[in-house]
Amino acid sequence: MPAPALGRIRIVLVETSLAANIGAAARAMLTMGLTRLALVRPKHFPHADATALAAGATHVLERARVVDTLDEALEGSVLSVAMTARSRKFAGRVLPLRDAAARAVAATVGGDVAFVFGTEMSGLSNEQLLRCTHAATIAANPEYGSLNLAAAVQVATWELRMAAVGGDVPEARRFATATHDEIEALYAHALATLRTLGFYDPERPRRLMTRLRRLFSRSGLEHEEVNILRGVLARIDDVCAREPR
């Protein structure tokens, strides 16, 4: 389930030229748990290209709000962030995206927040920037900072998600850890099998068992893993017992 803060953040696309970019942006949004999309005078919408590029995020498109002006798209927001690729004299202070995302998530306590993206070719105009309370930029390669619209939306929504819920990912299922006595029995079994194979010479032990102990200690053996290893050793024992001496 998305964090409550993400449910109060809307993505606003202004005068988007390509319907495919709208669909790709919807996909980027849903991947990060955002579903509220506002479109200001899109050139082509609804459109089959948008549906195709949404790749399953079609309900974001179906619920998208289409309006005629940026003011309508920002209506009711308590904070709005204009995404811009460069500093402009009318933009005031341009925040790094990470800082802007943190402020935006904090502001959702008081109401809705909007992240605003301009056209593919020229971004937002100075007048549109002035309509927003903040401006932010993605710290891209200064020698080649060319992000397409959907990519910019993806980066921004990822930062919003990190600010809202952090970067935790589901952990793999853990099984029962092997007990001390199970591991000691494994070592004893391994030692016996290695002696049978002629791989371990008790007269010249060197550091074989020490290294094996360090290896298995690092791995954090589980109960079932010990059983598997004991099964492998038992199979080796059987084969050795049938081999002519």
Side-chain angles (χ1 to χ4, degrees):
M1 295 295 292
L6 298 178
R8 307 199 77 169
I9 300 172
R10 69 186 76 155
I11 300 298
V12 179
L13 306 183
V14 179
E15 300 175 8
T16 309
S17 298
L18 300 177
N21 283 337
I22 297 174
R27 178 181 182 179
M29 290 171 56
L30 188 58
T31 299
M32 295 302 155
L34 286 84
T35 59
R36 298 178 62 185
L37 175 63
L39 304 172
V40 180
R41 293 190 303 277
K43 189 170 183 180
H44 303 289
F45 187 82
H47 196 279
D49 288 349
T51 302
L53 269 293
T58 51
H59 70 279
V60 175
L61 299 179
E62 291 165 358
R63 299 174 186 174
R65 183 175 172 224
V66 182
V67 296
D68 291 326
T69 67
L70 179 55
D71 285 337
E72 290 177 87
L74 297 179
E75 187 177 21
S77 64
V78 296
L79 182 146
S80 53
V81 178
M83 294 299 301
T84 181
R86 56 191 180 277
S87 179
R88 305 184 191 185
K89 63 181 180 180
F90 293 112
R93 181 188 174 201
V94 179
L95 298 171
L97 173 57
R98 186 157 297 175
D99 292 350
R103 293 190 187 201
V105 167
T108 60
V109 174
D112 289 352
V113 168
F115 263 66
V116 184
F117 298 79
T119 66
E120 294 93 334
M121 293 299 294
S122 57
L124 295 168
S125 68
N126 288 331
E127 182 181 350
Q128 289 165 340
L129 282 167
L130 286 171
R131 289 272 192 284
C132 299
T133 60
H134 296 73
T137 192
I138 295 170
N141 179 1
E143 296 179 4
Y144 186 77
S146 179
L147 280 172
N148 66 34
L149 177 59
V153 171
Q154 186 72 86
V155 174
T157 53
W158 183 83
E159 289 288 3
L160 287 165
R161 183 171 186 82
M162 292 305 99
V165 302
D168 293 339
V169 295
E171 291 188 3
R173 181 185 173 190
R174 290 288 298 173
F175 296 90
T177 303
T179 63
H180 172 78
D181 48 300
E182 288 174 333
I183 294 174
E184 288 301 315
L186 170 64
Y187 290 144
H189 192 165
L191 185 61
T193 301
L194 292 173
R195 287 180 65 179
T196 300
L197 289 171
F199 190 82
Y200 173 72
D201 181 358
E203 301 299 324
R204 302 175 62 189
R206 300 191 180 182
R207 300 183 64 188
L208 176 62
M209 291 310 296
T210 299
R211 292 188 179 278
L212 285 177
R213 282 181 176 274
R214 289 171 56 189
L215 170 64
F216 289 127
S217 294
R218 286 199 305 271
S219 67
L221 285 170
E222 296 171 351
H223 171 76
E224 287 299 325
E225 292 169 340
V226 168
N227 286 343
I228 290 170
L229 292 172
R230 293 289 303 272
V232 171
L233 293 171
R235 179 60 177 156
I236 294 172
D237 294 340
D238 289 342
V239 172
C240 290
R242 292 197 301 269
E243 286 290 324
R245 295 284 176 168

